[in-house]
Amino acid sequence: NLQLYDQVGSAWVNVPGYQTGSWTPALEGSSTAGTQTYSTQIGRYVKLGNFVIAFAYMIMTAKDAATAGNLRIRGLPFTTANISGLRYPALITDIKNLGLPAGGVQFEASAAANSTIINIRASVDNGVYVNCTATELKAATNIALSFFYISA
């Protein structure tokens, strides 16, 4: 329980809707998910009401050759709120051994509304984003990210 001190009532009070937990982030392709092998696969979250802070860290040791399509991370602990036109950005804090698609300059990760999936993309010079695909995924890919969002 998360408690705050109420100075008016001179008592500790529980904050409603507070919870913590774990989730299992997994890298997958959008057409064929594949089953990657990991040495580390950690996900944690804190939820206060419908506001969620999620963290993920994955270190792959082997890539499933069947993985195909756009690269994404599945398994968010709660579905993002269905707010039309809103994309929830994720902060990639560490990324290793993941190739950029042609023309890609920098990685970007975000989730669409009403989703439990984070899409991995790359920005190009003209401000447009291109999807990272399973072909850029390597056997030793490492990704760490933080993600703040409103849940459904």
Side-chain angles (χ1 to χ4, degrees):
N1 286 336
L2 176 65
Q3 293 188 322
L4 297 176
Y5 190 73
D6 177 1
Q7 291 183 343
V8 175
S10 298
W12 288 95
V13 294
N14 287 331
V15 176
Y18 174 79
Q19 61 181 293
T20 61
S22 60
W23 61 289
T24 305
L27 288 160
E28 70 175 14
S30 59
S31 347
T32 302
T35 304
Q36 316 325 318
T37 304
Y38 303 88
S39 63
T40 303
Q41 190 178 16
I42 300 170
R44 299 285 184 268
Y45 72 86
V46 174
K47 185 174 189 238
L48 183 55
N50 66 347
F51 182 69
V52 181
I53 304 167
F55 307 93
Y57 184 48
M58 296 164 284
I59 300 174
M60 285 178 45
T61 55
K63 174 188 172 183
D64 183 345
T67 305
N70 296 333
L71 191 57
R72 56 196 199 170
I73 299 169
R74 70 170 156 78
L76 283 173
F78 303 96
T79 302
T80 59
N82 193 10
I83 301 172
S84 179
L86 181 61
R87 289 194 70 79
Y88 297 91
L91 172 64
I92 298 173
T93 57
D94 186 26
I95 195 161
K96 294 181 182 88
N97 301 316
L98 180 65
L100 281 164
V105 178
Q106 178 178 325
F107 291 105
E108 183 269 348
S110 61
N114 199 34
S115 178
T116 57
I117 292 171
I118 297 172
N119 298 295
I120 301 175
R121 306 183 305 173
S123 61
V124 293
D125 287 335
N126 61 1
V128 173
Y129 290 97
V130 294
N131 290 315
C132 293
T133 64
T135 57
E136 280 97 37
L137 187 62
K138 308 294 184 246
T141 295
N142 298 1
I143 296 179
L145 60 83
S146 300
F147 189 54
F148 306 83
Y149 67 102
I150 301 167
S151 64

